[in-house]
């Protein structure tokens, strides 16, 4: 009887180990799959998001000890890599696994109702959970990769989510590239005020509304928030931030981007800005100074590449452990409380704690 019970126990333990390994396995070729993520208050209950993986040469076997990880994040209303970089080019030119995510509210914005636009909050958590999944799976499968080469890039809404990921995981990214992203949830965009940006995030000033935008919720979504940038610096932030923005952009206003960069510089963050003017238009990389701007894949490689591609004079490697390894809380105070991004389980979860 003891032998039978021991055999059953061993079988169950082995079964649990196999299940854990199997759960963390990555597809052998470019593919997509779903992962669990944090609950969205507007649709209570379990939630999952779709993740798209792109390997160098389209196969996991091509990942090597120099290969990095890159979030490649789509635009507002898009899916997969729309409005972002071409994964085939990024994986080849940068030697990275490109990770795209259908974060909360992906897909046509016109088809969605009942909730204001998340504006990088849970969207960043979704993207970071996808990154964490790939990071831990590679570690568990003992597949060599360069964990000091972790990046994010995106265009428009994806640029906004990239910068929010960088904010929520200040020890994780070596370099991030924002192309025409939204620097802040302004009153104009939040409440669809006349004469400003064409973006309408559909928030309410009514404190009794489910769509109410509280002061703290607006402050946490301000990428250039001076207090939060100082907090990032105090936490030891040492990544490279690349901002590419058109001087004629009225959708994600240029003046907001300019202010964001100035605030980053004032906080002594390492930021490089390329503000595109008429003189920069070459018909190849830059085609206009507005929101579409030009070839975003070429922008990522040309302006992010010097810091991302090994062998370049400006190439860098991150020194600190990732937030997934540190498992510490990342905290941003607001006028009405504080936002806590917890990594206690190795994956992020965000919560608000009122005063």
């Amino acid at each position: 009887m003891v032998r039978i019970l021991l055999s059953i126990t061993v079988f169950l333990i082995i079964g649990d180990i196999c299940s854990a390994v199997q759960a963390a396995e990555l597809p052998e070729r470019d593919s997509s799959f779903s992962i669990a993520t944090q609950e969205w208050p507007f649709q209570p209950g379990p939630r999952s998001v779709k993740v798209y993986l792109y390997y160098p040469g389209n196969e996991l076997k091509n990942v090597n000890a120099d290969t990095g990880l890159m979030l490649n994040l789509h635009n507002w209303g898009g899916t997969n890599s729309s409005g972002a970089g071409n994964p085939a080019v990024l994986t080849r030119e940068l030697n990275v696994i490109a990770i795209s995510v259908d974060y909360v509210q992906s897909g046509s914005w016109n088809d969605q109702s009942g909730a204001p636009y998340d504006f990088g909050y849970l969207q960043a958590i979704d993207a970071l959970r996808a990154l964490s999944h790939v990071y831990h799976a590679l570690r568990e499968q003992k597949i060599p990769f360069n964990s000091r080469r972790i990046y994010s890039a995106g265009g428009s809404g994806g640029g906004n989510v990239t910068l929010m990921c960088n904010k929520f995981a200040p020890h994780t990214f070596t370099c991030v590239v924002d192309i025409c992203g939204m620097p802040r949830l302004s009153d104009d965009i939040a409440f669809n005020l006349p004469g400003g940006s064409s973006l309408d995030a559909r928030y309410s000033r009514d404190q009794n509304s489910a769509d109410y935008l509280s002061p703290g919720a607006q402050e946490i979504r301000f990428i250039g928030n001076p207090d939060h940038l100082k907090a990032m610096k105090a936490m030891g932030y040492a990544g490279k931030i690349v901002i590419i923005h058109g001087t004629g952009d009225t959708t994600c206003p240029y003046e907001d981007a300019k202010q964001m960069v100035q605030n980053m510089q004032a906080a002594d963050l390492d930021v490089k800005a390329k503000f595109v003017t008429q003189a920069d238009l070459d018909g190849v990389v830059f085609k206009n100074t507005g929101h579409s701007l030009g070839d975003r894949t070429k922008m990522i490689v040309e302006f992010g590449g010097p810091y991302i591609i090994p062998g370049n004079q400006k190439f860098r490697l991150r020194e600190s452990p990732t937030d997934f390894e540190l498992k510490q809380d990342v905290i941003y105070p607001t006028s009405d409380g504080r936002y806590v991004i917890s990594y206690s389980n190795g994956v992020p979860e965000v919560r608000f704690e009122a005063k």
Side-chain angles (χ1 to χ4, degrees), residues 187-206:
D187 286 352
D188 169 26
I189 295 173
F191 308 118
N192 193 28
L193 302 182
S197 169
S198 60
L199 297 176
D200 176 13
R202 301 197 301 225
Y203 282 93
S204 172
R205 287 186 162 124
D206 180 1

Side-chain angles (χ1 to χ4, degrees), residues 38-52:
Q38 187 172 340
E39 182 181 62
W40 185 36
F42 288 96
Q43 289 182 359
R47 189 169 66 88
S48 63
V49 293
K50 190 173 183 179
V51 179
Y52 306 81

Side-chain angles (χ1 to χ4, degrees), residues 177-191:
V177 182
D178 157 45
I179 303 172
C180 299
M182 298 95 73
R184 67 189 181 107
L185 179 55
S186 63
D187 286 352
D188 169 26
I189 295 173
F191 308 118

Side-chain angles (χ1 to χ4, degrees), residues 25-353:
E25 282 185 353
L26 295 172
E28 294 296 321
R29 297 183 59 83
D30 290 358
S31 187
S32 63
F33 52 88
S34 293
I35 62 167
T37 189
Q38 187 172 340
E39 182 181 62
W40 185 36
F42 288 96
Q43 289 182 359
R47 189 169 66 88
S48 63
V49 293
K50 190 173 183 179
V51 179
Y52 306 81
L53 279 194
Y54 301 92
Y55 302 117
N58 308 115
E59 295 187 77
L60 179 60
K61 69 180 183 181
N62 296 322
V63 173
N64 57 50
D66 293 323
T67 303
L69 307 179
M70 174 175 269
L71 288 171
N72 183 42
L73 302 176
H74 69 72
N75 56 345
W76 182 335
T79 59
N80 196 347
S81 60
S82 63
N86 182 335
V89 176
L90 299 181
T91 55
R92 182 182 69 246
E93 297 294 326
L94 307 180
N95 186 19
V96 294
I97 299 174
I99 306 164
S100 295
V101 188
D102 284 354
Y103 44 71
V104 66
Q105 293 180 310
S106 293
S108 175
W109 176 240
N110 293 329
D111 295 337
Q112 300 184 32
S113 61
Y117 188 64
D118 180 73
F119 219 90
Y121 179 69
L122 279 184
Q123 293 170 341
I125 295 297
D126 291 349
L128 288 169
R129 289 237 180 160
L131 178 63
S132 171
H133 178 91
V134 176
Y135 178 92
H136 288 301
L138 289 167
R139 285 284 183 90
E140 290 173 17
Q141 291 182 241
K142 301 188 185 308
I143 298 172
F145 74 106
N146 195 333
S147 63
R148 297 168 69 190
R149 297 185 63 228
I150 298 183
Y151 314 103
S152 186
S156 189
N160 169 259
V161 180
T162 281
L163 293 175
M164 286 292 282
C165 285
N166 192 48
K167 180 175 182 174
F168 282 7
H171 307 98
T172 297
F173 295 96
T174 312
C175 178
V176 296
V177 182
D178 157 45
I179 303 172
C180 299
M182 298 95 73
R184 67 189 181 107
L185 179 55
S186 63
D187 286 352
D188 169 26
I189 295 173
F191 308 118
N192 193 28
L193 302 182
S197 169
S198 60
L199 297 176
D200 176 13
R202 301 197 301 225
Y203 282 93
S204 172
R205 287 186 162 124
D206 180 1
Q207 295 187 30
N208 296 315
S209 170
D211 300 336
Y212 171 63
L213 181 64
S214 68
Q218 190 168 17
E219 291 163 26
I220 194 67
R221 290 167 169 84
F222 180 15
I223 307 294
N225 186 314
D227 292 335
H228 295 174
L229 294 174
K230 290 176 185 176
M232 288 177 69
K233 186 67 177 180
M235 284 184 270
Y237 181 80
K240 184 72 178 185
I241 304 170
V242 178
I243 306 293
I244 306 170
H245 213 99
T247 55
D249 191 343
T250 57
T251 302
C252 298
Y254 160 65
E255 291 299 328
D256 287 351
K258 183 179 176 182
Q259 179 195 39
M260 175 181 69
V261 170
Q262 290 172 341
N263 291 354
M264 288 177 172
Q265 292 170 335
D268 198 27
L269 299 190
D270 190 354
V271 57
K272 174 70 173 178
K274 175 61 178 177
F275 291 129
V276 182
T277 67
Q278 288 290 330
D280 295 308
L281 304 186
D282 57 6
V284 179
V285 178
F286 298 119
K287 300 180 181 179
N288 60 71
T289 65
H291 188 61
S292 61
L293 207 54
D295 190 323
R296 293 176 178 176
T297 305
K298 286 185 169 63
M299 293 177 210
I300 294 170
V301 175
E302 180 172 333
F303 292 92
Y307 312 102
I308 296 173
I309 301 173
N312 282 339
Q313 185 177 1
K314 296 180 180 180
F315 172 69
R316 57 173 60 193
L317 293 171
R318 194 192 67 260
E319 297 295 332
S320 72
T322 64
D323 293 277
F324 310 136
E325 298 166 277
L326 291 171
K327 297 185 177 181
Q328 300 172 347
D329 287 349
V330 174
I331 299 173
Y332 292 108
T334 58
S335 59
D336 52 0
R338 67 178 195 167
Y339 283 83
V340 179
I341 302 95
S342 173
Y343 288 87
S344 59
N345 296 319
V347 296
E349 183 167 357
V350 65
R351 67 179 184 270
F352 174 68
E353 297 178 348

